[in-house]
């Protein structure tokens, strides 16, 4: 069934008419009242100062370059303690829910119902921010009938006059990867819905250097990811500061089978033709993947690689002027892949950074340097690689439009497809209020990932690229009720064809996906807890 016929068959035209009718009705009501509704858009919690209240040097307007904090371009809420609950419902038409590479795919519907809770609690020298969203996805005419959705961000800060220490944790339990936020309905849906960043911990010194997120996914393969991090910042004098950061993260794919017999077949990464166990990937009594048994062609069922990672970073920052900074940072990463015989690898890099910032308007960061990667494989000689890594980030706030552009080159966990990867990641976002009630957004992302840990498994690709673009429209119907309509296109492409584990004759290199989402969200007035 074509996408167009599916849309006409499903009640989406009715949803669109309701969306427009409610929008027009709310617009007339607002026009009659002549007053602008308060709280017309969800407001993020005000970021805590990067240093203590008495510090006069590097503040939230210009935090250290090597810190996880970024300068705020948008005004935050007043310094108050509050709780904001919320309810979010969205319905999605998805052309490739199973992640099929053969092109023989029907259009399916997914309904997601989520609840959210945002908490900010402030003390004199402490602050606590919690952002949670959780619920379920209900699938129509799909092998998997339902999936859980959970995302939790926690940030606890302790400040003193010349510094601070922060404890952060990012947890997610999702049916697919976070790059592009496709698990929540595309580029515009979840962000326009108004609650937090579930893409992983981002840092100015190295993009997603500390994150355990994934940069590509096929089909519905539930995974749990968690990153725990502690960061200390200390002023040395009014112009210079040091930061010290350490983290531990993991990604576990819940459908991976670890109990099959040594003689059982397994599927090549990421799909491939079923073959006998290989001592490189699947030694006896280890992680021998079973073929998928569902009626849908899900190429990754039971085949994704769990990963654990440790990262540490130390940086020195010097403020040249009110708007300009330079920094030197050393970073270390250690990636391991339990239950497999793939091996492990470590990275060491030194970056020189430069930052130019104009308070409330512009934030430009750029930097890079050499990286040494040490690959260790059981029973085989080690491999040492010397490459370059770095990051460029640009954010600018016009009177009515906010732009963000970022590029990163770094080592990542491989997103379950590979045992580690060298990843090039680029993303561009734009957000613009069209009126006091309408907001438009756009999001474009691209990532190219090359395998790091070698594999002797036949039929395994060595690289993949993932690209998406999307846009969304949001309408604030009343003070506490809003709706949004979004579209997103995603293209995941491997360097060689891979085959279905249900039918080895179904092979392909590219999985294309279109999603259209209609959603509603509601939240009450912030509840003061001072």
């Amino acid at each position: 069934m074509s996408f167009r016929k599916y849309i006409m068959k499903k009640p989406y035209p009715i949803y669109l008419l309701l969306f427009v009718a409610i929008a027009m009705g709310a617009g007339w009501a607002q026009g009659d009242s002549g007053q602008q509704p308060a709280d017309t858009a969800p407001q993020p919690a005000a970021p805590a100062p990067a240093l203590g209240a008495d510090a006069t040097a590097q503040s939230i307007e210009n935090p250290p370059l090597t810190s996880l904090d970024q300068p705020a371009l948008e005004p935050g809420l007043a310094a108050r303690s509050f709780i904001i609950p919320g309810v979010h419902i969205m319905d999605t038409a998805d052309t490739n829910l199973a992640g099929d590479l053969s092109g023989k795919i029907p259009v399916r519907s997914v309904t997601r119902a989520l609840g959210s809770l945002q908490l900010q609690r402030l003390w004199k020298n402490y602050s606590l921010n919690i952002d949670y969203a959780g619920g379920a996805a209900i699938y129509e005419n799909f092998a998997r009938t339902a999936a859980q959705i959970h995302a939790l961000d926690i940030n606890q800060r302790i400040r003193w006059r010349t510094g601070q220490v922060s404890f952060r944790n990012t947890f997610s339990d999702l049916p697919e990867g976070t790059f592009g936020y496709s698990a929540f309905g595309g580029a515009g849906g979840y962000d326009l819905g108004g609650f937090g960043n579930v893409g992983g911990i981002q840092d100015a010194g190295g993009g997603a250097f500390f994150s355990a997120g994934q940069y590509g996914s096929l089909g519905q393969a539930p995974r749990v990811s968690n990153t725990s991090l502690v960061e200390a910042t200390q002023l040395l004098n009014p112009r210079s500061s040091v930061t010290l950061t350490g983290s531990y993260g993991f990604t576990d794919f819940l459908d991976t089978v670890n109990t099959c017999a040594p003689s059982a077949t397994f599927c090549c990464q990421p799909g491939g033709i079923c073959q006998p166990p290989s001592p490189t990937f699947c030694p006896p009594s280890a992680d021998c993947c079973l073929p998928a048994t569902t009626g849908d062609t899900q190429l990754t069922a039971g085949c994704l690689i769990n990963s654990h990672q440790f990262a540490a970073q130390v940086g020195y920052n010097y403020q040249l002027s009110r708007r300009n900074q330079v920094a030197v940072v050393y970073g270390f990463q250690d990636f391991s892949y339990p239950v497999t015989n793939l091996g492990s690898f470590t990275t060491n890099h030194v970056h020189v950074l430069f930052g130019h910032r104009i308070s409330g308007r512009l934030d430009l960061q750029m930097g890079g340097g050499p990286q040494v990667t040490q690959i260790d494989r059981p029973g085989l000689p080690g491999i040492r690689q010397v490459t370059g890594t770095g990051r460029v980030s640009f954010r600018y706030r016009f009177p009515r439009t906010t732009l963000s552009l970022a590029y990163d080159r770094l080592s990542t966990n491989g997103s379950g497809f590979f045992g580690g990867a060298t990843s090039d990641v680029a993303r561009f976002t734009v957000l613009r209020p069209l009126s006091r009630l309408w907001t438009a957004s756009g999001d474009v992302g691209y990532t190219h990932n090359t395998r790091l840990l070698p594999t002797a498994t036949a039929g395994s690709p060595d690289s993949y690229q993932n690209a998406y673009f999307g846009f969304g429209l949001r309408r604030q119907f009343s003070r506490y009720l809003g709706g949004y309509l979004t579209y997103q296109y995603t293209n995941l492409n491997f360097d060689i064809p891979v085959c279905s584990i249900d039918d080895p004759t179904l092979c392909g290199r590219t999985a294309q996906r279109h999603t259209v989402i209609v959603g509603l969200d509601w939240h009450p007035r912030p509840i003061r807890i001072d």
Side-chain angles (χ1 to χ4, degrees):
M1 181 185 299
S2 68
F3 186 59
R4 181 179 178 182
K5 291 181 178 179
Y6 177 82
I7 291 293
M8 298 305 297
K9 180 180 178 181
K10 291 289 292 181
Y12 282 97
I14 299 176
Y15 296 161
L16 293 175
L17 290 175
L18 287 175
F19 186 88
V20 173
I22 296 175
M24 294 177 62
W28 291 332
Q30 293 294 340
D32 293 340
S33 66
Q35 297 180 354
Q36 179 174 347
D39 301 330
T40 57
Q43 298 175 333
L51 298 173
D54 297 331
T56 59
Q58 295 172 313
S59 66
I60 189 60
E61 294 184 355
N62 201 10
L65 281 177
T66 60
S67 169
L68 290 170
D69 295 314
Q70 291 187 335
L73 299 184
E74 301 285 345
L77 291 176
R80 296 177 177 176
S81 300
F82 62 85
I83 295 177
I84 304 178
V87 178
H88 314 263
I89 300 175
M90 60 193 79
D91 203 3
T92 305
D94 195 318
T95 65
N96 194 358
L97 190 61
D100 196 295
L101 296 172
S102 66
K104 301 177 180 180
I105 43 178
V107 179
R108 292 186 172 91
S109 172
V110 184
T111 300
R112 297 177 177 90
L114 306 173
S116 66
L117 181 67
Q118 183 181 6
L119 179 145
Q120 177 175 280
R121 185 70 171 92
L122 303 178
W123 295 269
K124 181 179 180 180
N125 295 317
Y126 309 91
S127 67
L128 174 64
N129 292 87
I130 299 177
D131 195 2
Y132 169 76
I138 308 299
Y139 304 101
E140 180 187 16
N141 298 325
F142 190 60
R144 187 185 302 276
T145 58
Q148 297 186 63
I149 297 175
H150 300 281
L152 174 66
D153 289 331
I154 301 175
N155 188 351
Q156 169 79 65
R157 297 174 187 261
I158 304 173
R159 304 184 187 87
W160 54 94
R161 191 179 66 86
T162 59
Q164 73 167 11
V165 61
S166 62
F167 303 90
R168 312 182 190 216
N169 194 86
T170 296
F171 169 85
S172 65
D173 180 357
L174 305 176
E176 52 185 298
T178 55
F179 187 64
Y181 301 95
S182 56
F184 296 92
Y190 193 74
D191 284 346
L192 286 175
F195 37 96
N197 171 29
V198 298
I201 294 177
Q202 303 290 318
D203 70 284
F209 181 78
F210 296 104
S211 173
Q214 303 89 49
Y215 291 99
S217 61
L218 278 174
Q220 303 299 292
R223 77 278 318 269
V224 172
S225 296
N226 191 84
T227 301
S228 299
L229 180 146
V230 58
E231 179 187 53
T233 303
Q234 177 63 50
L235 271 180
L236 302 179
N237 55 55
R239 284 184 176 268
S240 62
S241 63
V242 293
T243 61
L244 179 63
T245 311
S247 72
Y248 173 77
F250 66 86
T251 298
D252 286 344
F253 295 91
L254 303 182
D255 284 351
T256 298
V257 180
N258 299 317
T259 57
C260 63
S263 60
T265 59
F266 79 102
C267 46
C268 306
Q269 294 297 124
I273 301 172
C274 296
Q275 297 180 346
S278 164
T280 302
F281 174 70
C282 187
S285 70
D287 190 9
C288 304
C289 304
L290 291 174
T293 58
T294 68
D296 295 286
T297 306
Q298 297 192 65
L299 302 184
T300 59
C303 300
L304 297 171
I305 305 174
N306 296 338
S307 62
H308 294 182
Q309 63 189 73
F310 168 80
Q313 180 176 280
V314 58
Y316 172 78
N317 304 265
Y318 186 79
Q319 192 161 329
L320 300 173
S321 65
R322 183 178 180 182
R323 295 181 176 179
N324 298 315
Q325 282 191 67
V326 292
V328 178
V329 60
Y330 164 76
F332 169 81
Q333 294 173 297
D334 186 338
F335 293 85
S336 60
Y337 299 88
V339 196
T340 73
N341 203 22
L342 281 173
S344 62
F345 70 95
T346 61
T347 70
N348 293 267
H349 74 240
V350 177
H351 286 176
V352 177
L353 309 175
F354 171 78
H356 178 72
R357 293 163 175 172
I358 300 177
S359 177
R361 289 179 52 199
L362 181 145
D363 176 28
L364 171 65
Q365 304 173 37
M366 61 181 66
Q371 174 174 293
V372 178
T373 303
Q374 179 66 40
I375 297 175
D376 296 314
R377 300 172 296 171
L380 295 172
I383 300 174
R384 176 169 294 184
Q385 301 176 350
V386 180
T387 58
T389 56
R391 171 176 172 81
V392 177
S393 173
F394 174 77
R395 298 186 298 147
Y396 192 85
R397 183 172 182 261
F398 295 95
R400 293 181 58 84
T401 304
T402 301
L403 302 177
S404 176
L405 177 66
Y407 167 77
D408 294 278
R409 180 177 175 83
L410 71 164
S411 298
T412 61
N413 57 20
S415 303
F417 296 149
F418 304 149
T422 299
S423 300
D424 295 276
V425 185
R427 190 180 180 198
F428 170 76
T429 62
V430 58
L431 181 68
R432 178 179 174 83
L434 302 178
S435 67
R436 61 191 180 95
L437 298 177
W438 287 92
T439 302
S441 72
D443 191 357
V444 180
Y446 173 82
T447 176
H448 183 274
N449 302 268
T450 303
R451 180 192 299 274
L452 266 178
L453 291 179
T455 177
T457 304
S460 298
D462 290 323
S463 67
Y464 75 91
Q465 57 187 9
N466 187 23
Y468 72 89
F469 70 85
F471 57 87
L473 281 174
R474 176 176 176 83
R475 175 60 154 88
Q476 197 67 30
F477 300 136
S478 66
R479 178 174 297 186
Y480 305 122
L481 178 66
Y484 47 90
L485 173 67
T486 75
Y487 166 80
Q488 180 167 300
Y489 168 77
T490 305
N491 185 300
L492 182 68
N493 184 277
F494 294 94
D495 61 333
I496 63 173
V498 292
C499 304
S500 166
I501 53 181
D502 292 324
D503 185 353
T505 65
L506 297 177
C507 301
R509 292 178 51 187
T510 302
Q512 300 186 44
R513 184 179 186 185
H514 302 264
T515 56
V516 175
I517 305 96
V518 177
L520 292 172
D521 61 71
W522 172 88
H523 68 85
R525 187 190 199 108
I527 303 171
R528 293 279 301 274
I529 56 174
D530 292 321

